[in-house]
């Protein structure tokens, strides 16, 4: 059963799920290199927005277990071949720092380290954007939707509860933090 009082994001599928428009001009790709005792899971979340207006759409989300650095780099290149991506942000915690260096040095990919400080504060700001109707998630983003709708806080309200699937949500947060739609004129 869904206890909304302990959920990380103030997401409501009746208000925040909407087909992404075709005229988005700016894109940010967020990548989470999740670790797990059973299978390391890599998540990709692509956000899009326009040059004007503060609205952001999650265009796509996916996650896969056991991806090698080369396979992840190939996937990044696939995203780049379909859209002009302004920023690519990747989780550089743990082993991620080595992955980011590999993407930059061995594959010449413009991957930046994702901002990870003050996660609780960022989640609250992001939830404010949900409250204001500035974030919409395309209905095709089933991997993200499955996580964000039920993801609970841990006991300290500092991160997600242990053992919960949060790879797409983390990739979403990284890309949301890197998007600059907040600075656009309406």
């Amino acid at each position: 059963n869904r206890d909304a009082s302990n959920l990380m994001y103030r997401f409501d599928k009746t208000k925040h799920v909407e087909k992404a428009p075709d005229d988005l001009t700016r894109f940010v790709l967020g990548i989470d290199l999740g670790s797990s005792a059973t299978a390391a899971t890599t998540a990709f979340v692509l956000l899009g927005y326009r040059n004007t207006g503060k609205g952001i759409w999650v265009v796509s989300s996916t996650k896969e277990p056991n991806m090698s650095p080369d396979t992840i780099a190939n996937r990044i290149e696939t995203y780049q071949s379909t859209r002009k991506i302004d920023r690519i942000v990747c989780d550089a915690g743990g082993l991620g720092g080595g992955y980011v260096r590999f993407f930059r040095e061995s594959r010449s990919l413009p991957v930046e380290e994702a901002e990870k400080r003050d996660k609780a504060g960022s989640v609250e700001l992001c939830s404010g954007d949900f409250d204001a109707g500035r974030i919409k998630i395309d209905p095709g983003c089933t991997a993200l939707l499955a996580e964000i709708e039920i993801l609970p806080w841990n006991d300290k309200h500092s991160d997600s509860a242990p053992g919960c699937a949060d790879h797409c949500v983390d990739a979403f947060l990284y890309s949301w933090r890197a998007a600059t739609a907040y600075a656009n004129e309406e």
Side-chain angles (χ1 to χ4, degrees), residues 3-186:
D3 174 14
S5 67
N6 192 42
L7 295 179
M8 286 184 71
Y9 291 85
R10 291 189 301 275
F11 166 81
D12 180 339
K13 68 180 174 185
T14 65
K15 297 176 185 173
H16 303 124
V17 176
E18 179 181 296
K19 175 124 179 64
D22 293 329
D23 64 345
L24 301 174
T25 54
R26 310 285 308 272
F27 295 93
V28 178
L29 179 64
I31 305 165
D32 180 66
L33 306 170
S35 59
S36 167
T38 54
T41 302
T42 301
F44 301 87
V45 171
L46 183 67
L47 296 187
Y49 54 102
R50 298 179 183 111
N51 289 328
T52 59
K54 299 186 186 317
I56 292 176
W57 284 264
V58 180
V59 176
S60 68
S61 70
T62 185
K63 61 183 178 179
E64 292 182 33
N66 302 318
M67 293 181 80
S68 71
D70 273 316
T71 304
I72 296 167
N74 292 342
R75 180 71 54 87
I76 293 168
E77 290 170 344
T78 299
Y79 278 103
Q80 288 179 310
S81 72
T82 60
R83 289 187 172 85
K84 182 190 174 298
I85 297 176
D86 297 301
R87 296 181 74 187
I88 302 167
V89 290
C90 182
D91 174 11
L95 297 175
Y99 278 61
V100 170
R101 276 191 305 285
F102 169 77
F103 299 146
R104 287 182 194 155
E105 296 169 10
S106 298
R107 298 293 294 269
S108 299
L109 294 168
V111 177
E112 305 169 38
E113 293 183 8
E115 177 61 54
K116 293 184 70 167
R117 290 176 296 166
D118 189 22
K119 186 172 190 175
S122 293
V123 169
E124 181 58 31
L125 290 170
C126 184
S127 285
D129 273 359
F130 275 121
D131 294 342
R134 289 190 289 263
I135 301 174
K136 303 292 183 183
I137 301 175
D138 189 275
C141 295
T142 55
L144 175 60
L145 290 168
E147 292 179 7
I148 200 165
E149 188 174 17
I150 61 169
L151 188 63
W153 285 108
N154 65 14
D155 292 339
K156 296 179 180 178
H157 275 64
S158 60
D159 204 338
S160 58
C164 292
D166 63 359
H167 303 300
C168 278
V169 170
D170 283 351
F172 160 70
L173 187 62
Y174 302 149
S175 55
W176 174 83
R177 287 177 89 159
T180 58
Y182 64 85
N184 286 347
E185 296 292 326
E186 286 294 348

